[in-house]
Amino acid sequence: DAIAIWKEAEGHVLPDEEWHVASYYDNIRNKVKNLNPDLGDCVKGYDGIIPTRMCTTQLRGRTEFTPRANPELTSIRSVLNKNGYIPTVDEAILYNGPDVRNPMFDIPEGQVDVLAILNNGRKVPGDDTVQRQLTVQNKTIIQRRLDGNEIVSGKGHQLEHPAGYCDGTYNAICKRTASNPCLLNGHHDGRGGLRFNEYSGWIVMTIPKVKEGLIMIKMECWHFPEEVPLTEGWKSVNNERSLLRQRELKRQPPEYCENFHFEFAVDGKVTTYNLKQFKEAKMEIQRVVEVVTLLDDPSFEKDNVEVAIRMFGCGNTKVFSLTHIYWA
């Protein structure tokens, strides 16, 4: 169909309206929003696992997974409130500018050159490599006193994220680092996240436009102590005061200690789970996809909601990675 449309277009140049798909996506959203709960597997398959109204609700989100569009605006870091500390990518880009020719990108003989079709009569970016800077700025320090406990942004969160501007475009600079064995592979895939343990302190976020009273996080709960080297040797939150020594855990596998607690705050209300409660709240939607619902209140609506999470009780032996936050 696409080739036929190009063929019939005057001068083989598509008018601007042919490039817009807003009405197409709006049609999909409206159908999902009004979907009969008896149809499909979402409501029936995930009842009791996630709030089933999520099946028909448009969600917003932030993640550290790549590739993603507008990476500086769609990262979890973009909604963080940090006490003068924003986790950054450890590895440095080895070089900038265009790469040498990669023969794997060549059009096979006899095949359709889609880029040549797109270039016909239109001004499109050339072969200059896209060079952009991440612009996540420091946010206002967040301090709240709730029942005698201060919620202060922590300083011990370890960022796992590929270096560069990984938005999935073929000419963006991504993963050009010393640890990459093939600098020409152009692969942007990365399962990044904010890794944290007890000593990392609170991860505090400001979530905009919460209209449907839904907030959910996705975490990976199987990481190892050495994956947060920032807190190595620390004996307290932010390494700022002395605490009782916590019980040591075996490395294989990374188990929960008996005194494990997970705590989150939504708009000033703090909820604390012990180990049993956390395991009941943490739902596995599918393999390696574990989510925790922080808010499910249809009557809740607020433009900017402070959301904070932390763990305590296991020192630096238990490590999570916050990879996504969803809300509506």
Side-chain angles (χ1 to χ4, degrees):
D1 291 344
I3 298 298
I5 293 175
W6 266 310
K7 181 179 179 181
E8 296 170 3
E10 183 179 353
H12 305 298
V13 178
L14 289 178
D16 288 342
E17 57 267 21
E18 294 289 351
W19 295 93
H20 296 294
V21 293
S23 59
Y24 177 76
Y25 286 132
D26 286 341
N27 182 46
I28 294 175
R29 291 191 186 101
N30 289 331
K31 286 181 178 178
V32 171
K33 185 176 181 180
N34 298 292
L35 184 67
N36 187 325
D38 294 329
L39 300 177
D41 295 327
C42 186
V43 174
K44 294 181 290 185
Y46 292 102
D47 188 19
I49 299 177
I50 62 173
T52 53
R53 62 195 184 100
M54 295 186 75
C55 296
T56 55
T57 301
Q58 181 180 348
L59 300 178
R60 300 173 183 268
R62 296 290 188 274
T63 182
E64 294 295 343
F65 275 27
T66 55
R68 62 179 187 272
N70 303 314
E72 77 276 16
L73 301 177
T74 54
S75 68
I76 295 175
R77 286 165 287 156
S78 70
V79 294
L80 284 181
N81 294 282
K82 285 295 178 181
N83 185 9
Y85 162 73
I86 294 178
T88 57
V89 177
D90 292 333
E91 288 191 291
I93 293 293
L94 294 178
Y95 62 96
N96 290 308
D99 260 322
V100 298
R101 171 179 164 269
N102 186 345
M104 296 302 295
F105 289 163
D106 290 349
I107 305 298
E109 185 176 354
Q111 299 300 311
V112 175
D113 188 343
V114 176
L115 185 59
I117 296 175
L118 293 174
N119 274 329
N120 185 22
R122 300 183 65 89
K123 184 178 180 180
V124 297
D127 293 333
D128 291 339
T129 301
V130 176
Q131 301 183 46
R132 303 162 216 164
Q133 299 294 325
L134 297 181
T135 57
V136 177
Q137 301 294 324
N138 287 341
K139 298 294 194 310
T140 304
I141 175 174
I142 292 298
Q143 294 191 28
R144 294 179 63 87
R145 181 168 295 278
L146 302 167
D147 300 327
N149 294 318
E150 241 182 9
I151 296 182
V152 180
S153 297
K155 302 177 182 178
H157 311 115
Q158 197 85 37
L159 174 64
E160 174 64 25
H161 192 281
Y165 195 92
C166 305
D167 66 349
T169 53
Y170 78 97
N171 58 349
I173 298 174
C174 179
K175 290 188 178 180
R176 294 184 185 177
T177 59
S179 63
N180 188 350
C182 181
L183 294 173
L184 284 180
N185 70 1
H187 203 283
H188 292 203
D189 180 61
R191 297 187 178 185
L194 292 180
R195 294 178 182 171
F196 65 101
N197 54 38
E198 174 181 354
Y199 300 152
S200 301
W202 287 96
I203 298 177
V204 185
M205 299 162 279
T206 299
I207 306 304
K209 299 180 180 179
V210 178
K211 304 298 183 183
E212 304 290 340
L214 280 170
I215 301 176
M216 175 183 287
I217 57 174
K218 174 182 171 291
M219 298 187 295
E220 298 172 348
C221 303
W222 57 80
H223 289 273
F224 296 98
E226 62 268 26
E227 295 183 66
V228 190
L230 184 61
T231 64
E232 184 177 357
W234 291 14
K235 301 299 181 184
S236 62
V237 175
N238 296 333
N239 201 30
E240 291 177 348
R241 62 186 178 89
S242 298
L243 293 176
L244 294 176
R245 181 176 178 83
Q246 300 293 336
R247 171 184 155 209
E248 296 293 331
L249 299 182
K250 295 180 180 179
R251 181 182 183 278
Q252 292 287 350
E255 297 287 350
Y256 292 88
C257 66
E258 294 178 359
N259 196 37
F260 171 87
H261 289 79
F262 180 80
E263 198 163 55
F264 63 91
V266 177
D267 199 35
K269 181 180 179 181
V270 177
T271 301
T272 304
Y273 289 150
N274 60 27
L275 178 58
K276 181 177 182 294
Q277 292 168 328
F278 176 74
K279 288 185 173 181
E280 292 173 348
K282 178 173 67 71
M283 296 296 177
E284 185 170 331
I285 296 180
Q286 56 180 281
R287 190 184 69 85
V288 306
V289 179
E290 299 173 326
V291 298
V292 178
T293 300
L294 306 185
L295 176 68
D296 180 15
D297 180 0
S299 65
F300 186 97
E301 181 177 348
K302 192 173 182 179
D303 283 339
N304 290 291
V305 179
E306 180 188 293
V307 176
I309 64 170
R310 70 168 178 173
M311 71 168 81
F312 62 89
C314 294
N316 57 9
T317 56
K318 190 62 184 172
V319 174
F320 287 176
S321 180
L322 174 66
T323 64
H324 296 72
I325 180 166
Y326 309 100
W327 71 92

